[in-house]
Amino acid sequence: MDDHDRSFSFVDRVTSVQPGVLIRGHYAIPPGLDVFPASLVAEAVGQLAAWAAMAAVQFRVRPVAGIAGRIDLLTPVRPGQTLELAADLESVDEETAAYGGTALADGVPVIRLQDCVGPMVPMADFDDPQAVQERFQRLCGPGAAPGGFGGLPALALDRRGGEAGQPLHATFQVPVSDPLFADHFPRRPVFPGSVLMHMNLLLAAELAAEIPPPRPGARWALRSVSEVKLRAFIAPGDALELEAHLSSRSVHSATLAVETRKGKQVVSGARVLLAPEDEP
Amino acid sequence: MTDTNITKEDILAIHPKVAETIAAALGCEVEQVKLEASLIDDLGAQSIDFVDILFRLQRAFKVKIPRGKIVEEARGSLAESEFEQGGVVTEAGFERLRAYLSEVPADRFKSPLDVADIPRLFTTETFCKLVIRQQRAGATADAAKPS
């Protein structure tokens, strides 16, 4: 009986694995959800890579979100689709796991991760190492029961001031409790970096809509996220300030810089590449 | 361990690419990444930035750089307990660091030195030397392989 809470687990089954080298698997997006954002698809690829990394170091340490060199946002996914996940590991040791990976839905590439690095943290600080190992065995065997994810917590950004096209600022209060904290992580709840990235992308999309269009009949669309860096853990109840501003623009592309602060501390930063897309 | 076999010319030859790599990781101007710049105190690097810098250097120079390599090499033949005790660098460890990080101005070495504060000493030149050593170690390893 698998009694692990899977409210923030995005790998249902591992179909092949060479610990420390490569891993393949899949995840069925629960059909009852309203949306399944790209950042969670990236999370799924990262979680798959993490299994191969943890298996390579006998589950003594586990990677956490740290650096993503580039994430290409290729195609939106829909609830009900199954993600075919793949990750290739560049290196794994007791300090870091470096990897890249992809996800496909219905045979179509939906996301591509490159040059990602997850710093390793002691497994026992975050989860029961034995239980994690047993979960891995289950994923490699019959797989886990799908459908554990019930949706993201309310992510209402409280936008503050600013004129159209100017830097956008927003505040966000991390909930004190939410089902996802039972899974991420059982011994130390951490607000997921991928959910933070989702909020950064929401703000970026809002700013993109305010930038003068690249040409008549076109709009700016989010194409990729690069230089993602998570600098600190975010705990339940933390108050965050988010900012997005335009850092460069040409006819063919625009780049936004997004940043999150907790008080004076910068906890994350990234760049978002925009490209013209014809209005529907 | 000293670096008498790494010349200033060796370091200057590699500095532009190292500076470009560090600037990309820290999001600063490449001109700011001077040889003597402290990555933490002058350029604002944090723990995750060192991870980023090492991976970028690995990819840029195609060398393997294990995390912790600088301290490991500085420690040399000293046992861990001889190098640090209770999170503080011992006197012997302190001298090893001063010799190994010969590019770091003497006034930046403050005793007692917490192990956690060692990265505060690292300069751009520290990383230039690290890359050169790893390149040479790689070349030596390759030469030792049976053909």
Side-chain angles (χ1 to χ4, degrees):
Chain A
M1 173 70 185
D2 180 10
D3 57 359
H4 170 68
D5 185 301
R6 284 182 37 87
S7 53
F8 204 73
S9 293
F10 301 107
V11 178
D12 290 339
R13 185 150 184 259
V14 171
T15 50
S16 71
V17 60
Q18 292 178 45
V21 179
L22 61 83
I23 186 166
R24 304 289 181 261
H26 54 73
Y27 174 70
I29 303 172
L33 300 175
D34 292 333
V35 291
F36 193 80
S39 56
L40 292 188
V41 182
E43 172 78 32
V45 176
Q47 288 190 5
L48 186 78
W51 283 118
M54 292 187 288
V57 291
Q58 289 73 50
F59 298 87
R60 289 187 298 273
V61 291
R62 64 153 302 134
V64 291
I67 296 166
R70 183 180 171 108
I71 302 172
D72 292 317
L73 312 169
L74 304 173
T75 311
V77 298
R78 299 183 308 277
Q81 287 186 305
T82 293
L83 301 176
E84 297 294 332
L85 307 168
D88 295 300
L89 288 91
E90 181 186 335
S91 66
V92 178
D93 57 32
E94 300 278 333
E95 305 284 351
T96 53
Y99 66 94
T102 57
L104 282 71
D106 298 326
V108 176
V110 295
I111 209 157
R112 181 170 47 238
L113 280 67
Q114 299 174 65
D115 297 337
C116 299
V117 183
M120 294 290 206
V121 295
M123 176 71 81
D125 290 355
F126 290 79
D127 210 332
D128 175 357
Q130 182 62 33
V132 175
Q133 199 159 348
E134 287 168 7
R135 294 206 293 272
F136 180 61
Q137 295 306 328
R138 176 173 290 274
L139 290 178
C140 292
F149 177 62
L152 290 171
L155 298 174
L157 289 168
D158 183 15
R159 181 174 167 172
R160 289 187 287 109
E163 297 173 16
Q166 296 300 303
L168 279 185
H169 297 269
T171 57
F172 176 70
Q173 186 73 41
V174 178
V176 172
S177 65
D178 189 86
L180 70 83
F181 289 131
D183 192 11
H184 195 276
F185 297 96
R187 289 184 177 172
R188 179 178 173 181
V190 173
F191 189 66
S194 56
V195 182
L196 181 63
M197 185 174 98
H198 173 57
M199 293 195 301
N200 286 137
L201 292 181
L202 290 176
L203 198 64
E206 206 170 313
L207 180 58
E210 295 181 357
I211 300 171
R215 60 173 184 267
R219 64 183 177 188
W220 291 109
L222 279 56
R223 284 285 180 265
S224 67
V225 193
S226 62
E227 315 289 332
V228 181
K229 212 175 274 186
L230 295 162
R231 298 179 174 279
F233 287 123
I234 298 171
D238 279 349
L240 304 178
E241 296 198 14
L242 290 76
E243 183 194 306
H245 69 264
L246 178 66
S247 55
S248 67
R249 179 162 67 106
S250 70
V251 177
H252 306 292
S253 67
T255 304
L256 309 181
V258 294
E259 190 174 87
T260 308
R261 289 176 180 270
K262 185 169 72 175
K264 289 182 179 175
Q265 183 188 19
V266 176
V267 293
S268 78
R271 304 178 80 76
V272 182
L273 181 70
L274 311 178
E277 179 183 78
D278 289 332
E279 294 272 13
Chain B
M1 183 175 177
T2 57
D3 287 297
T4 49
N5 57 343
I6 297 180
T7 66
K8 200 70 182 174
E9 287 71 29
D10 293 333
I11 290 165
L12 290 174
I14 211 172
H15 176 230
K17 196 168 174 181
V18 171
E20 192 180 305
T21 306
I22 291 175
L26 299 181
C28 65
E29 298 298 324
V30 71
E31 292 76 18
Q32 294 177 263
V33 192
K34 299 184 188 325
L35 270 179
E36 66 279 12
S38 158
L39 267 64
I40 291 179
D41 292 335
D42 298 329
L43 302 176
Q46 297 177 345
S47 171
I48 190 76
D49 295 313
F50 284 106
V51 175
D52 194 9
I53 288 167
L54 289 185
F55 272 91
R56 286 172 187 263
L57 289 174
Q58 283 190 171
R59 292 174 184 132
F61 290 95
K62 303 202 175 357
V63 291
K64 177 77 183 154
I65 310 176
R67 225 173 137 198
K69 188 72 180 172
I70 297 172
V71 174
E72 180 193 315
E73 289 203 339
R75 182 156 66 84
S77 59
L78 283 183
E80 202 166 325
S81 59
E82 294 172 308
F83 183 78
E84 63 116 335
Q85 286 181 354
V88 179
V89 178
T90 62
E91 200 172 319
F94 193 78
E95 289 313 312
R96 285 291 180 102
L97 275 173
R98 282 170 65 115
Y100 187 77
L101 300 174
S102 57
E103 69 281 3
V104 179
D107 62 358
R108 288 198 192 161
F109 286 89
K110 303 269 198 277
S111 183
L113 175 66
D114 286 348
V115 172
D117 285 335
I118 294 175
R120 198 170 282 282
L121 297 167
F122 300 164
T123 66
T124 305
E125 187 169 338
T126 306
F127 285 87
C128 291
K129 288 165 63 177
L130 179 63
V131 169
I132 293 167
R133 280 190 217 103
Q134 294 307 105
Q135 284 178 324
R136 290 178 181 176
T140 305
D142 287 345
K145 282 181 188 167
S147 54

